[in-house]
Structure formats: C-alpha cells, structure tokens
Amino acid sequence: MRGKFITIEGTEGVGKTTNIEFIQSWLEAKNLAFVCTREPGGTPLAEQIRELLLAPRDEIVCSTAELLLMFAGRAQHLHQVIKPVLSEGAWVLCDRFTDATYAYQGAGRNMRTDLIAELEMLVQGSLRPDLTLILDIPVEVGLKRASARSEPDRFEQEQVEFFERVRQGYLKIAEENPDRCVIIDASSPLKAVQRQITVALEAFWFSSEESNA
Ligand code: Z5A
C-alpha cells in the first residue's frame, strides 16, 4: 500500500521548521516509517538548485526562470525520493511542495495559474499530497520572527505586499481544497499551535485507518 504524503506550508517565519520536529515525533509515536524532506531541495541536485534560488544576487531573476528551477528540483526530488518512498509504503513529510509554487510564483509573482498547473501535471502526473497543513500568521508577525533568526535570503528580501499576496494565495488554496488542507493558526503560542496540529494529524490518521479497513 502506498504511504501517505504530508506537506507543511506557510509564509515567512510561520514556524514550519519548528513544527516539523513535532510532527516527526508524532509519526515516531505511531511507529510509522517515514522520510522527512524539503523543497526546494531534498536530493543533492535539488539542494544545488535551492542554493541557486535562495542566493541574494544583483541580477534580477526572471519569474519564468524561477518557476522552471522550482519544478526542475521537484522533478528530481519526486523521482529520487518521494515516489520511491511512497511506493515502499513509508510516509513522506515534506517542508513545502507545489502549493508553495502556486502561492509564491502564482499569487506572489503574478504568474499564470494555468501554466503552473501544466508544469504540475508534467512533473507530478496525478500525485498530490494527502494532507497539507497551512500554518497561517499575519505577515508582519512572521517577518519579525524570521528576521530575528537569520540573514534574509533572496525571497526574504521581498516587500510586505509580496508576502501578503502569498498569504492570500495560501488561503485560497485552503478554500479550494478543503478535503486536503487544514489551516493552523500559527500566531498562537507554540503549545497551542502543536495542539491544533495534533488534532489535524489524528483526524487524518483516523480517516486513513478507516479507509484501509
Ligand atoms: N519557494 C517558492 O517560492 N516556491 C516553491 O515552490 C517552493 C519554495 C517549494 C525557501 O523556503 C523559499 O523557497 C521560501 C519560499 C520559496 N522563501 N521564503 N520566504 P524555506 O521553507 O526554506 O524558507 P522559509 O519560509 O524562510 O522557512 P524557514 O526559514 O525554515 O522558516 P519557518 O520554518 O517557517 O519558521 P521557523 O524557523 O520554524 O520559525 C521562525 C522563528 O519563529 C524561530 O525563531 C522560532 O523559534 C519562532 N517560532 C516558531 N513558532 C513560534 C510560535 N508559535 N510562537 C513564537 N515563536 C515561534
């Protein structure tokens, strides 16, 4: 049986990295075999593409080049990691996936959604995440958290308006995919965020067990 594919998404500084560790402990407590990975990245080639994408540079990166690089890394990641792991029956926990492309390149950079959908079909076929946790937070709060943590990468140098469009992009994805997406209020204290994540994971676990029975 194919394993389950969980993704975690959100704008800057929402706490994905912090909460991924928590989700890993939940998977371990359920005795599930899983691989934790990320995008852009997840294989040596895709990690090199990540470096190219995140490095601040003088040259303006055109949106089409950015979009194609995202999907180039994703193709390699799917081929080398995600698909083999799922077909062995293990679960995949991925820090960002194609929803990030719709939110950042689509809503953020105003790229056409139908073009993104064509690339999605080319690279993924029918494969989609089974559960997506969208950590949501007011943009200013997330940017403040992120800036306290590290030097800004090329995306983090964008203006507040860009991240506002990205946030709205994520909220639209959640609205259009209610069976797959759960919005988590990430502005709460960490314990409260993790309680919401546990509720979402347990509900997903229960419905997966029911459909396997
Ligand atoms: N990107 C794209 O454009 N298109 C695509 O298709 C894909 C990606 C896949 C890299 O992603 C960039 O790639 C990303 C979008 C683009 N750029 N941006 N912006 P990334 O996921 O590697 O980068 P990131 O979004 O900047 O994630 P991050 O740096 O790992 O941040 P985070 O994981 O969301 O946050 P965190 O490190 O867990 O937490 C931030 C701080 O807040 C930290 O000090 C925590 O201790 C603190 N924190 C966390 N939770 C709380 C709560 N609840 N209360 C208080 N403080 C908290």
Side-chain angles (χ1 to χ4, degrees), residues 71 78 83 117-128:
F71 272 107
L78 279 160
K83 284 184 180 172
E118 272 186 42
L119 290 168
E120 181 181 35
M121 193 47 78
L122 172 75
V123 169
Q124 292 166 228
S126 60
L127 181 68
R128 300 287 179 277

Side-chain angles (χ1 to χ4, degrees), residues 52 97 121 212:
L52 290 176
F97 192 61
M121 193 47 78
N212 291 344

Side-chain angles (χ1 to χ4, degrees), residues 12 15-18 50 74 96 101 104-105 149 188:
E12 266 316 284
K16 291 179 293 87
T17 309
T18 310
R50 178 189 177 90
R74 183 161 300 137
R96 296 194 188 280
T101 313
Y104 281 81
Q105 283 64 53
R149 187 202 47 195
S188 325

Side-chain angles (χ1 to χ4, degrees), residues 1 13 44 72 76 81 86 90 105 108 116 132 140 175 182 201 209:
M1 199 182 303
Q76 184 67 19
V81 179
L86 291 175
Q105 283 64 53
I116 300 176
T132 299
E140 310 75 53
E175 199 182 310
V182 178
L201 290 171
E209 288 289 287

